[in-house]
Amino acid sequence: MHWRSLKSCRYIHLYEDPSAKTLDINVIKQYVSEKIPYAIVDARAEFTRYHLKGYEVDSFARRLASIRVKNPLTKMPNQEPLYGEVEYEKRVLKGEIRGSGVLYDGFELQTLLSQLIGEEESTLSHAHIVFTSRLFATWDEGDGRYHIRVIILGNPSIISTTGVAEGPAMPKEFYRLQQTLLAIGATQQIELMKERFRGRYIDYSDERLNEVMKGYVMQALFYQIFGEAFCSSRRCRLYNAHWQEELIEAQLSKQEFCDHHQSLLNQLKQDEEEDRGDDC
């Protein structure tokens, strides 16, 4: 496929996560506008607040409760959610409380959210990128368990501002020290131990969150525009990091993209400039 034909993605919608205090959706919008110059980029309110109609809250809350992962070692749907689970989801949807501590099946969550997008914005002309504090995971057939993810690619692409702290693994030394402290019963020292590794992982309300999320947004856009999901280079923002230190290297290095992916962006910009020249 000639890359010019891939410019069908004309609209990019970014949805804020109000609970992520260090995430500035307008900073992300400005960055995306510079990288994908032909697209119209807008920043919207939190996804369900933007799309969900008031009369849909009760049924949507029940569906959310039904995709909870109750046990990460079993792929059993939560077919009969408890009353309290549904009420909790209602309160989150209404903005009465912040959702936390609940794990969802990532692909099921993506499917639920996609069903809220109107028909006119469900085409490949529109990219929906959702920041959310919800924690989600995908089932791995290889080891038979769920794994927390930062991003689920597709439409919408969903990016967890909680998952970025909980998903990628801490440095190996952290776990060795953690096991030692657990073995001697010094559990109160574990939180203090995290200070020793400060800077080597992304924490909640991390001041580097905007920079990190720029990379995840570009992963979503490369997937939709070029059909390329991840990169094998650890110095490219499209690298699928499984460790915190890999994530920091991929997202905070001076070089943003590998040569191949930078060339794709350059082609987009060059084409845009040629189109403007033709219009003069």
Side-chain angles (χ1 to χ4, degrees):
M1 183 184 294
H2 193 283
W3 66 271
R4 282 173 182 267
S5 66
L6 298 173
K7 289 181 65 177
S8 60
C9 178
R10 304 294 302 184
Y11 305 96
I12 299 172
H13 311 294
L14 305 171
Y15 297 87
E16 68 173 352
D17 172 13
S19 67
K21 301 303 181 187
T22 53
L23 178 65
D24 188 335
I25 197 72
N26 289 311
V27 170
I28 306 297
K29 175 185 173 184
Q30 178 65 32
Y31 177 78
V32 172
S33 298
E34 292 171 0
K35 297 298 181 186
I36 315 291
Y38 67 83
I40 298 172
V41 186
D42 65 351
R44 295 179 169 181
E46 190 272 333
F47 185 84
T48 53
R49 197 162 301 163
Y50 187 89
H51 286 287
L52 191 68
K53 308 294 187 299
Y55 63 85
E56 298 173 321
V57 168
D58 286 5
S59 62
F60 196 77
R62 182 175 182 78
R63 296 169 73 188
L64 275 173
S66 71
I67 63 168
R68 287 182 172 200
V69 175
K70 304 298 287 286
N71 182 346
L73 300 179
T74 61
K75 198 178 181 184
M76 292 287 292
N78 188 26
Q79 290 181 326
E80 295 296 332
L82 301 173
Y83 172 82
E85 293 173 333
V86 177
E87 289 300 306
Y88 169 89
E89 297 295 347
K90 285 183 189 176
R91 295 188 66 192
V92 174
L93 289 172
K94 292 177 180 177
E96 296 173 358
I97 58 172
R98 178 192 172 188
S100 63
V102 177
L103 184 63
Y104 302 86
D105 182 297
F107 289 121
E108 295 289 347
L109 178 62
Q110 183 185 48
T111 299
L112 276 186
L113 297 182
S114 71
Q115 293 168 355
L116 295 180
I117 300 172
E119 186 176 348
E120 70 282 3
E121 290 191 357
S122 293
T123 68
L124 289 177
S125 296
H126 295 262
H128 298 267
I129 301 175
V130 181
F131 292 108
T132 178
S133 62
R134 294 182 189 278
L135 199 61
F136 49 75
T138 60
W139 179 259
D140 188 326
E141 295 288 352
D143 60 5
R145 61 171 298 157
Y146 275 97
H147 291 270
I148 294 173
R149 303 300 182 193
V150 181
I151 186 169
I152 302 287
L153 299 171
N155 208 3
S157 288
I158 49 177
I159 303 173
S160 175
T161 55
T162 305
V164 74
E166 297 287 347
M170 295 284 279
K172 291 180 180 178
E173 307 98 282
F174 175 88
Y175 296 110
R176 283 197 288 268
L177 281 171
Q178 185 183 50
Q179 287 183 343
T180 300
L181 292 172
L182 288 172
I184 62 176
T187 55
Q188 71 277 11
Q189 297 297 318
I190 292 177
E191 277 303 312
L192 295 176
M193 185 184 73
K194 290 182 71 174
E195 287 300 321
R196 176 172 172 177
F197 293 88
R198 185 70 61 190
R200 296 173 64 184
Y201 64 92
I202 300 299
D203 205 352
Y204 292 95
S205 301
D206 198 296
E207 295 296 333
R208 299 167 292 179
L209 192 60
N210 284 332
E211 282 304 311
V212 169
M213 287 304 168
K214 288 176 183 177
Y216 282 100
V217 168
M218 293 308 291
Q219 290 179 12
L221 291 173
F222 266 84
Y223 182 69
Q224 179 148 343
I225 297 171
F226 299 106
E228 298 195 13
F230 298 113
C231 181
S232 60
S233 171
R234 291 175 55 156
R235 289 297 183 95
C236 179
R237 284 193 143 169
L238 307 190
Y239 183 73
N240 185 22
H242 290 85
W243 294 83
Q244 286 283 344
E245 289 179 318
E246 291 178 342
L247 184 156
I248 290 171
E249 181 178 6
Q251 303 303 338
L252 302 177
S253 297
K254 289 183 179 178
Q255 177 183 332
E256 286 195 288
F257 300 98
C258 67
D259 292 343
H260 168 63
H261 289 114
Q262 184 60 56
S263 71
L264 292 179
L265 285 175
N266 292 344
Q267 286 178 326
L268 278 180
K269 286 188 175 181
Q270 182 180 342
D271 185 60
E272 174 68 11
E273 291 170 357
E274 290 175 359
D275 285 349
R276 288 181 179 176
D278 292 341
D279 291 340
C280 295

